[in-house]
Amino acid sequence: MEAINRALWDAEKGMAEIIVRSGKIWNTTGVTRFGLLLCHIEEVVFLMEQRNITVMSGEDIMTVQDAYSLLTVAEYGCSWDAYLVYAYLKRLGYILKRNGIPWTLSKKTVESMSRSSEGNSSADNQGAVNPDLTLRLMFDVYPPNGCFKKTCPRDPAFHVCVISDRPPHLREIQACEEGHEGVPVKFASVVCGHVTLFSINSVQLPELP
Amino acid sequence: MWCDAEGTRWKGENAAKAAIAEPVSALYNKLMQEWDQPMEALLFQTGAILHVASLEQSHVLERACFGVPLFPTTSDAIPLGDSEGLPGSIGTSTFLERKSSEVQLFQLMLEEAFYLSYHMRCIQICRQSTKGREYMTHEQFWEFLLKSKRRFPQHYKAYSHMRSNNWVVRAGIQYGADFMAYRHHPALVHSDYAVLVMAEEEEKPRMNTWTEVHAMNRLCGSVAKTLLLLHIVTNQQPMDTTSPTCLENYCVQAVEYQRWLPEKHREENLTTKEHYPGSEVSSDIDKQESTASTDEICE
């Protein structure tokens, strides 16, 4: 039996366009671009695991195995390890979005953006990359919230940096602490499929009485 | 447990009062006063044996947590570790009181010996040889220390940085760390930190795999301490460590590591800004929770 929600996968864009939608999940999943609702590969895979969406790739219905294989395509921007972090937090009710891209983009917002800055043309597939940092901020995480609105999301509770092969170096930790308007960064270790989140923060040891 | 406004975890309200009555800085000042009889420490390869001449010196050393009491011991010997009792002068019934004659000999670790002699100037260091007892200058002691312990300057910088900020610092070996750091005497307060010293330019760096980070974190978590890495950094390369004055060229950068469990923080206001209105979990989220999480909850 097919799920109500339906999407069309666009291999070139690396995103799925949602063509039939139902339910509250869309308040917290996908980004709107000029009236279209689009999802990244990790969102698609998660919904497929929940049996909550049918995804077409051309004429064929995508299988879960097909979807998993797309996670290994570097150009689509989400690694297998990053997906495990995504799914772990989603299952606990957190709201996630890729870092560095807006929840909504319409003609109006683009016009105002191009008036004020250079705009974000390749934003949809890239997280913010700090040139001093070899690490990339992968997701913005918002706390579980039944009244979340993409049009006024406020600041995320924290950013997640997925770093599987080794813990971050001191300079990387310090670079993550600069900027980001006071939003903390948490580090996700993914080893053999186990996801663990760490808060790693510089501290000023106080002088005690 | 009793937390104060700064978040210090005292072992009860009486403990907090005792600590406020005699802050760590007051104890350190007492140690640095002029003593009628100086204290002498006999140096050996991995530490020193400190002889104290007066009861008052003994009390202050114990309350400031320098060294481990060696002799005399009592039949109600107070075990080494966090439950060390305080001598009667802080004196609430909560704490153990030493019943026999006061301690005259303490075993010091190398960092303690150097701190007491170089920074506090309250002990003299000597060595025993076939020719008898010889006193050492600070430079001679430093030279000995460089040979005795790998990365002694960095370990000492970490130790002295915390002591100079009025923290109590003890050996961390029983907890698998370099040091343990407390906001006051361990009988009064729960330890804040298990400290690891991180030197730059190591051939075999520490904590450079997730396995090690997880291991240290589990260890710390099981004894309710937070892991603190003290990175000892310098602008001067190469560093000339032949004199203790090189310590001024090191800088300490502290980093806390804590495991964060999203299972436990769902209902909290995670942001430092305003609340989200109506932060109830929606029904779609309950559906998603039916699959098991990828990580075991170990608390």
Side-chain angles (χ1 to χ4, degrees), chain A residues 23-25 46-47 50 52 84 88-94 142-148 152-158 163-171 173-174 181-182 184 186-191 193-209, chain B residues 23-25 161-162 164-168 182-184 193 200 207-210 213-214 217 228 230-231 233 253-266 268 270-285 287-289 291-296:
Chain A
K24 281 200 224 164
I25 55 165
F46 185 69
L47 289 171
Q50 311 280 308
N52 207 357
L84 291 180
Y88 174 44
L89 290 170
K90 283 292 287 188
R91 280 194 290 266
L92 291 169
Y94 290 86
Y142 302 78
N145 176 9
C147 301
F148 182 82
C152 57
R154 307 189 196 188
D155 280 345
F158 57 91
I163 171 173
S164 316
D165 54 342
R166 56 168 178 80
H169 298 138
L170 177 64
R171 297 212 208 303
I173 295 161
Q174 290 168 334
E181 290 145 17
K186 297 202 193 293
F187 295 89
S189 134
V190 187
V191 180
H194 286 277
V195 178
T196 314
L197 290 166
F198 282 93
S199 286
I200 304 177
N201 306 107
S202 297
V203 290
Q204 268 294 109
L205 286 172
E207 188 181 339
L208 298 174
Chain B
V24 172
S25 57
H161 176 79
M162 295 203 82
S164 301
N165 280 304
N166 300 324
W167 287 75
V168 167
Y182 302 77
R183 288 171 184 250
H184 208 291
Y193 293 125
E200 289 178 307
M207 298 286 277
N208 68 338
T209 62
W210 277 121
V213 173
H214 276 70
N217 221 271
L228 185 74
L230 292 183
H231 292 265
V233 299
Q253 291 175 356
V255 181
E256 271 187 5
Y257 280 66
Q258 279 185 299
R259 184 152 171 212
W260 191 79
L261 290 166
E263 291 84 353
K264 300 212 166 179
H265 294 272
R266 274 185 284 186
E268 275 174 26
L270 293 171
T271 60
T272 52
K273 300 182 181 175
E274 320 150 36
H275 283 279
Y276 283 94
S279 47
E280 321 84 43
V281 173
S282 80
S283 57
D284 293 306
I285 291 155
K287 231 197 290 175
Q288 292 165 14
E289 279 181 333
T291 20
S293 71
T294 51
D295 194 9
E296 62 183 43

Side-chain angles (χ1 to χ4, degrees), chain A residues 116-134:
Chain A
S116 59
S117 72
E118 290 169 45
N120 251 335
S121 55
S122 60
D124 282 349
N125 278 336
Q126 294 283 340
V129 180
N130 180 333
D132 296 327
L133 209 61
T134 49

Side-chain angles (χ1 to χ4, degrees), chain B residues 4 22 48 61 69 77 82 127 138 155 160 171 176 207 216 235 245 259-260 267 278 282 284 288-289:
Chain B
D4 68 9
E22 190 171 48
L61 280 171
D82 285 351
R127 296 205 72 181
H138 295 306
H155 280 255
S160 64
M207 298 286 277
M216 276 312 297
N235 287 329
T245 53
R259 184 152 171 212
W260 191 79
E267 317 267 307
S282 80
D284 293 306
Q288 292 165 14
E289 279 181 333

Side-chain angles (χ1 to χ4, degrees), chain B residues 46 51 59 81 101 146 166 183 188 198 201 226 282:
Chain B
T46 52
H51 177 256
H59 284 177
S101 59
L146 290 177
N166 300 324
R183 288 171 184 250
L188 300 179
M198 305 288 286
E201 311 283 334
T226 302
S282 80

